[in-house]
Amino acid sequence: ITGAIELMVVDIQCIMQALAPLADQFHTKLITTSPHAYIEGADRVDFDEHRALEIAREIVRMGIDNFPNRKETHIPKEVSRLVAGFSHEYINYALGGFYRGSFRPLNDAVIQGRLRGVAGVVGCNNARTCHDYSHEYIVRELIKNDVLVAMTGCGAIAAAKYGLLSPEAAKYAGPGLREICETVGIPPVLHVGSCVDNARILTVLSQMATEGGLGEDIADLPGVGFAPEWMSEKAISIASYFVGSGVYTIMGSDSPLANSPVVDRFISEGWE
Ligand code: SF4
């Protein structure tokens, strides 16, 4: 805890109720913006899309006004640089430039065996596991074995902390993936957004399928979706649309659904 946060804004992401009493211990103001997800002890500033800029300014002003209440801070000296915000449009551009943007080099790399596939490693941290451990371990193993990784959400933050979202991380990649990263100037682990942006990973896979040479459909691609430390119900709905789109999908750690044999069997065997 840094003591350097004047204000935190939350809506309907996975926000724990304990956040309000925690913020109370410091000068941090906690604001909720969704009328559907008020939190006891937090201030409310309801979001109205017709007044978005005005409301944003009001919230920023509240943060600035709270600055004089800041006391001693503990800001870690460690810095981890990253490149974030990849989309299928940018990957297209990175691989072929403005005039010849194309997924062809990526598909060719798979066909030639330089790249063994693409993995979406996504999802939460889970209090039942050692924080970040699975994300880091799995991602390092994947890139070492020439698998290009796309990440979102809290998993991406885990990878960022270990420096895996920077182009310099190519040194941890296998020879095929390293060659591609160094030629194109991209990290071996691509940050594609928050966990509600997982559909972007599907867009990348559909572009690969459309480009041709690897099969007719997403299900034919050497791709996998993996949530090693999932805990949120949102992860299940995301996994559902991954499976529904034909992606081989793995959910790690203990399943919060395991107490219901019916649901557990449905998602582990039924979806297959
Ligand atoms: S990755 Fe999981 S914990 Fe993180 S914001 Fe998304 S659903 Fe919540």
Side-chain angles (χ1 to χ4, degrees):
I1 290 174
T2 61
I5 298 187
E6 271 61 60
L7 184 143
M8 182 174 180
V9 190
V10 301
D11 64 351
I12 51 169
Q13 283 275 9
C14 350
I15 306 300
M16 305 301 165
Q17 294 296 314
L19 205 52
L22 177 65
D24 257 357
Q25 304 299 311
F26 303 87
H27 76 301
T28 305
K29 268 187 185 302
L30 183 64
I31 306 283
T32 55
T33 54
S34 168
H36 305 297
Y38 288 143
I39 295 180
E40 200 178 332
D43 292 328
R44 300 174 184 175
V45 180
D46 286 355
F47 181 71
D48 169 6
E49 60 191 30
H50 305 294
R51 295 175 45 244
L53 190 58
E54 194 187 325
I55 292 169
R57 284 200 171 117
E58 183 188 333
I59 293 174
V60 170
R61 172 57 59 193
M62 289 165 78
I64 294 169
D65 290 346
N66 196 25
F67 182 75
N69 297 323
R70 190 188 271 200
K71 298 192 178 70
E72 196 186 343
T73 57
H74 306 277
I75 301 174
K77 297 225 173 344
E78 293 80 13
V79 172
S80 191
R81 302 200 181 280
L82 69 144
V83 181
F86 284 87
S87 59
H88 79 272
E89 291 94 338
Y90 188 77
I91 297 171
N92 211 39
Y93 168 74
L95 292 172
F98 187 73
Y99 292 107
R100 296 198 304 182
S102 162
F103 268 65
R104 196 71 249 156
L106 194 60
N107 284 24
D108 284 347
V110 176
I111 293 164
Q112 291 157 5
R114 286 182 292 143
L115 203 60
R116 292 174 69 182
V118 181
V121 183
V122 303
C124 327
N125 287 118
N126 189 320
R128 294 177 180 149
T129 63
C130 177
H131 198 84
D132 291 345
Y133 175 79
S134 318
H135 287 290
E136 190 214 354
Y137 176 76
I138 287 159
V139 169
R140 281 191 195 277
E141 285 297 309
L142 285 168
I143 62 174
K144 195 163 80 186
N145 285 285
D146 292 313
V147 176
L148 178 68
V149 176
M151 295 193 81
T152 62
C154 297
I157 304 297
K161 283 188 249 174
Y162 288 96
L164 298 170
L165 300 189
S166 74
E168 289 73 31
K171 61 178 180 245
Y172 304 122
L177 177 58
R178 185 163 64 235
E179 185 192 337
I180 294 164
C181 292
E182 287 173 352
T183 310
V184 178
I186 56 172
V189 184
L190 304 178
H191 176 280
V192 294
S194 76
C195 57
V196 287
D197 291 322
N198 278 313
R200 287 186 181 180
I201 298 177
L202 286 184
T203 323
V204 170
L205 293 174
S206 4
Q207 286 292 309
M208 288 178 74
T210 308
E211 187 62 43
L214 294 174
E216 294 299 311
D217 205 345
I218 288 178
D220 302 324
L221 302 176
V224 64
F226 195 5
E229 296 188 27
W230 74 290
M231 65 85 195
S232 163
E233 66 279 8
K234 206 184 336 166
I236 274 287
S237 50
I238 291 166
S240 312
Y241 72 68
F242 261 64
V243 173
S245 304
V247 183
Y248 182 67
T249 303
I250 305 170
M251 307 293 275
S253 79
D254 291 342
S255 165
L257 304 176
N259 282 339
S260 166
V262 176
V263 179
D264 200 39
R265 198 168 54 250
F266 180 69
I267 66 163
S268 57
E269 296 166 30
W271 282 356
E272 284 285 318

